[in-house]
Amino acid sequence: MKIKGAEILIKALEDEGVEIIFGFPGGAVIDIYDELIKSEKIKHILVRHEQAAVHAADGYARAVSKPGVCLVTSGPGATNTVTGIASAYCDSIPMVILTGQVNTSLIGNDAFQEVDIVGITRPCTKHNYLVKDIKDLAKTIKEAFYIATTGRPGPVLVDIPKDVVQAFAEYKPLKAIKMRSYNPTYEPNMKQLGRVVEMIKNAKRPLIFGGGGIILSRASKELIKFARKIQAPVTTTLMGLGAYPASDPLWLGMLGMHGTYRANMSTAECDLLISIGVRFDDRVTGKTSTFASKAKIVHIDIDPTSISKNIAVHTPIVGDCKISLERLNGLLGEEDFKGIKASRKSWLDQIEMWKSTKPLAYEQGDIIKPQFVVEKIFEITKGDAIITTEVGQNQMWAAQFYNFDKPNCFITSGGLGVMGFGLPAAIGAQVACPDKLVIDIAGDGSIQMNIQEMATAMQFNLPVKIAILNNGYLGMVRQWQELFYKKCYSCTEMSHTPDFVKLAEAFGAVGLRATKPEEVVPVLKKAFASDKPVIMDFVVEREEGVYPMVPSGADITEMLLV
Ligand SMILES: Cc1ncc(C[n+]2csc(CCOP(=O)(O)OP(=O)(O)O)c2C)c(N)n1
């Protein structure tokens, strides 16, 4: 029986196991919405801006390790998604973005609400499609999910013209998909892994450096087993936070521009750097010519194009992080590591010395320190919350002062660094995990970029909590101006912000404020006890800085300390 294209699309999405779509309707997708409302399997979350639909799908994907899905109309609906797509692309988040398009006969005619979204998103999607024929629709959806979720994950966009969703065809569900030109390598080369085992046995100062790839491939357990077996300390990128428990003695904290002193010094001094699921971003490496210059570098990654892209590596291993670590653990199981603890003593003692002399620290005086707020959030939640962030100092303090013990709990726009990410991502995470406490740690600048999503949170009863570290500045840019531009605070003071308490109330949510250190804990406790969305306005020290800080392009040991 022939059915309408829109119905085929919804059936294909249902067959992919889609339960949630974040979206915003319009003329080009009205037929799809007409079918979507009939679905008993898929729920739609109406956001207030298409950018938020993508960030919410991103937050959803990261919280549950499933692909996020969003649906928007053609033209402005589609262009509004681009920042969110680019962010998901940088962070390798599996996602399918469905955009409406004008009728095929109008494409290229500068028609009303027409843009070439396939052209626009080509550099920031893993793959994208324009479906020109109803016969290709079901297969394209199947392929889109396959590409988004396999190999190195990423966003895939499917642009669907209005006449295609209005056309009729038979729906034949596809069981499996095979693409001749796309074959990710999951199994690592065992010979190369054997070489890594030898390197581990010979190393005096090994260091494990993990990234978001560990979380994406769900390899945390294998990583923990690996690190403990070889007694090597562990550091991760921002994206890797939670992949290794922060409460473990081998944990060093994050490395890079705002990494811990001990993590950066260990990277500079190690003789073997085992990098897993990382891409050597410049925020991590600093000056590439001196990065880990005393070490042999092993790089395990699913994406062959990321190997030796930024940093030349000695031993490349193309494979899935989880499978590679399983195989490596298997090989190591046959080795005798009894004396390993003793042989690591001087290396681990050295790291302990770095830690005790240059800890992450701040002094709490009469004015609330932002770090204090984050620490209290951690203490009260006991680490059992999903934390999203905006971008700037708030993001770095969250990374430094909230101790992540589990994966999928820290959701942040790492690669692209998108202000306005945190609230919609928190909404997505809350949809994915209705019983979890979801907290967006925000800056007063960033939160204003997608604050309209409070309405979405209210409409769908999503009790997200927003902790604004309100310093009255675009703080991270102000910090750079302070350090590198002779304190010329050009256009970074937010001399007018809304009254966030009243703003929360205007949305029907709860607004709370703390202006003194002793008010922080009561405000947090009240917020966390509420079953509504809450905005907390913490009026913090205006010119507090994030330290350590490695100036852009400097060696990672050249850290500015408080
Ligand atoms: C969309 C977007 N525009 C601009 C920037 C550049 N930027 C990075 S951090 C920052 C300041 C953020 O200020 P705020 O949200 O108040 O947070 P704070 O640093 O004070 O914690 C800016 C403007 C960005 N990352 N994203």
Side-chain angles (χ1 to χ4, degrees):
M1 193 183 66
K2 287 191 174 177
I3 56 172
K4 204 172 158 182
E7 201 181 336
I8 293 179
L9 173 63
I10 301 302
K11 279 196 188 309
L13 294 172
E14 287 177 351
D15 287 347
E16 288 302 321
V18 174
E19 291 169 8
I20 297 286
I21 294 181
F22 300 91
F24 202 92
V29 286
I30 199 160
D31 296 87
I32 301 175
Y33 272 91
D34 194 49
E35 282 304 325
L36 178 57
I37 198 81
K38 297 175 203 158
S39 171
E40 283 171 8
K41 294 187 182 153
I42 306 177
K43 186 177 171 194
H44 180 267
I45 304 284
L46 176 67
V47 294
R48 299 303 190 262
H49 189 300
E50 289 88 351
Q51 182 188 349
V54 190
H55 293 327
D58 185 322
Y60 174 89
R62 294 202 220 192
V64 285
S65 287
K66 274 174 73 174
V69 182
C70 45
L71 168 62
V72 299
T73 194
S74 65
T79 51
N80 272 349
T81 64
V82 175
T83 301
I85 296 174
S87 178
Y89 183 64
C90 283
D91 291 347
S92 308
I93 305 304
M95 203 179 286
V96 173
I97 303 100
L98 305 165
T99 50
Q101 183 54 279
V102 299
N103 282 346
T104 42
S105 60
L106 292 174
I107 290 175
N109 286 12
D110 294 337
F112 176 64
Q113 294 195 330
E114 183 205 353
V115 292
D116 173 10
I117 196 64
V118 164
I120 290 172
T121 60
R122 190 159 287 137
C124 63
T125 46
K126 185 172 173 190
H127 196 60
N128 61 17
Y129 295 90
L130 169 63
V131 184
K132 289 200 198 121
D133 192 322
I134 178 88
K135 284 196 231 92
D136 300 329
L137 184 58
K139 182 168 168 261
T140 307
I141 295 299
K142 188 96 201 157
E143 280 187 13
F145 278 87
Y146 179 65
I147 294 174
T149 53
T150 51
R152 178 178 178 168
V156 177
L157 183 139
V158 185
D159 197 25
I160 317 172
K162 186 162 176 164
D163 55 329
V164 171
V165 286
Q166 287 178 332
F168 282 79
E170 287 205 14
Y171 175 55
K172 292 185 204 120
L174 281 99
K175 286 223 169 60
I177 201 95
K178 251 202 171 154
M179 299 174 74
R180 236 189 305 155
S181 55
Y182 174 71
N183 282 309
T185 305
Y186 291 92
E187 280 292 338
N189 179 309
M190 291 305 284
K191 250 197 200 155
Q192 280 165 315
L193 284 186
R195 209 174 295 158
V196 176
V197 171
E198 285 310 304
M199 288 162 101
I200 291 169
K201 285 199 290 195
N202 293 329
K204 297 213 159 42
R205 301 182 308 278
L207 175 63
I208 298 169
F209 164 37
I214 306 239
I215 295 176
L216 289 164
S217 72
R218 304 175 206 191
S220 276
K221 276 199 192 112
E222 288 73 15
L223 176 69
I224 295 168
K225 192 172 170 195
F226 176 59
R228 289 186 184 156
K229 174 92 187 170
I230 68 167
Q231 281 295 302
V234 183
T235 181
T236 72
T237 64
L238 181 74
M239 289 295 296
L241 288 175
Y244 196 81
S247 53
D248 191 271
L250 289 170
W251 172 242
L252 301 182
M254 173 176 82
L255 90 163
M257 183 174 274
H258 294 294
T260 60
Y261 185 79
R262 61 189 186 277
N264 286 358
M265 293 304 289
S266 304
T267 308
E269 289 302 321
C270 68
D271 62 358
L272 174 63
L273 186 72
I274 307 169
S275 328
I276 312 165
V278 299
R279 62 188 175 88
F280 296 100
D281 180 85
D282 55 274
R283 279 289 190 274
V284 162
T285 59
K287 192 174 175 183
T288 46
S289 58
T290 54
F291 179 76
S293 53
K294 296 181 185 165
K296 289 224 163 68
I297 303 182
V298 172
H299 188 188
I300 302 175
D301 204 278
I302 188 99
D303 178 7
T305 68
S306 81
I307 289 183
S308 289
K309 185 172 174 179
N310 300 331
I311 295 285
V313 303
H314 299 85
T315 309
I317 290 159
V318 178
D320 173 73
C321 293
K322 186 184 168 95
I323 298 175
S324 301
L325 278 169
E326 270 169 7
R327 302 283 177 274
L328 204 46
N329 285 336
L331 290 178
L332 289 166
E334 296 159 18
E335 302 287 335
D336 177 12
F337 275 98
K338 272 194 203 106
I340 191 86
K341 258 199 171 151
S343 72
R344 295 279 187 262
K345 192 171 181 311
S346 65
W347 176 224
L348 295 175
D349 283 352
Q350 165 72 73
I351 292 170
E352 204 44 52
M353 204 270 286
W354 285 325
K355 182 178 174 180
S356 56
T357 54
K358 306 269 190 317
L360 274 179
Y362 65 94
E363 265 177 45
Q364 179 57 67
D366 296 339
I367 304 170
I368 303 171
K369 287 285 173 102
Q371 301 94 322
F372 177 73
V373 177
V374 177
E375 253 182 10
K376 291 295 158 199
I377 295 176
F378 173 69
E379 280 171 27
I380 295 171
T381 61
K382 299 187 180 72
D384 191 21
I386 295 181
I387 303 292
T388 70
T389 75
E390 303 294 334
V391 167
Q393 293 180 315
N394 57 84
Q395 180 185 32
M396 292 303 134
W397 285 318
Q400 291 178 334
F401 288 92
Y402 196 96
N403 301 319
F404 295 93
D405 265 349
K406 280 175 280 173
N408 305 91
C409 289
F410 183 54
I411 299 177
T412 195
S413 173
L416 196 68
V418 182
M419 290 171 72
F421 175 86
L423 172 54
I427 286 174
Q430 189 79 79
V431 170
C433 307
D435 301 329
K436 276 237 148 185
L437 178 59
V438 181
I439 307 164
D440 173 27
I441 296 181
D444 49 317
S446 303
I447 196 64
Q448 294 184 57
M449 285 213 173
N450 272 321
I451 190 74
Q452 76 286 344
E453 297 308 320
M454 283 302 289
T456 308
M458 288 302 298
Q459 180 171 341
F460 293 92
N461 297 319
L462 301 165
V464 294
K465 315 294 178 222
I466 303 164
I468 302 177
L469 308 176
N470 188 349
N471 53 18
Y473 279 112
L474 296 172
M476 187 56 98
V477 184
R478 185 210 60 75
Q479 178 172 344
W480 282 53
Q481 290 170 329
E482 175 188 334
L483 296 171
F484 312 117
Y485 293 84
K486 299 189 182 131
K487 284 199 169 191
C488 171
Y489 294 165
S490 171
C491 306
T492 43
E493 185 171 10
M494 283 245 158
S495 52
H496 185 87
T497 43
D499 178 330
F500 289 114
V501 173
K502 285 191 185 150
L503 188 62
E505 287 164 0
F507 281 108
V510 177
L512 302 169
R513 178 171 291 120
T515 55
K516 296 189 203 98
E518 59 273 22
E519 292 167 352
V520 170
V521 170
V523 161
L524 287 170
K525 285 195 170 156
K526 203 168 168 189
F528 298 160
S530 171
D531 58 1
K532 281 188 157 191
V534 182
I535 297 182
M536 293 163 273
D537 184 18
F538 294 101
V539 181
V540 298
E541 178 88 53
R542 297 201 69 200
E543 297 194 20
E544 184 68 13
V546 183
Y547 293 102
M549 176 174 193
V550 179
S552 190
D555 183 283
I556 55 167
T557 58
E558 289 166 17
M559 284 167 272
L560 304 175
L561 301 163
V562 196

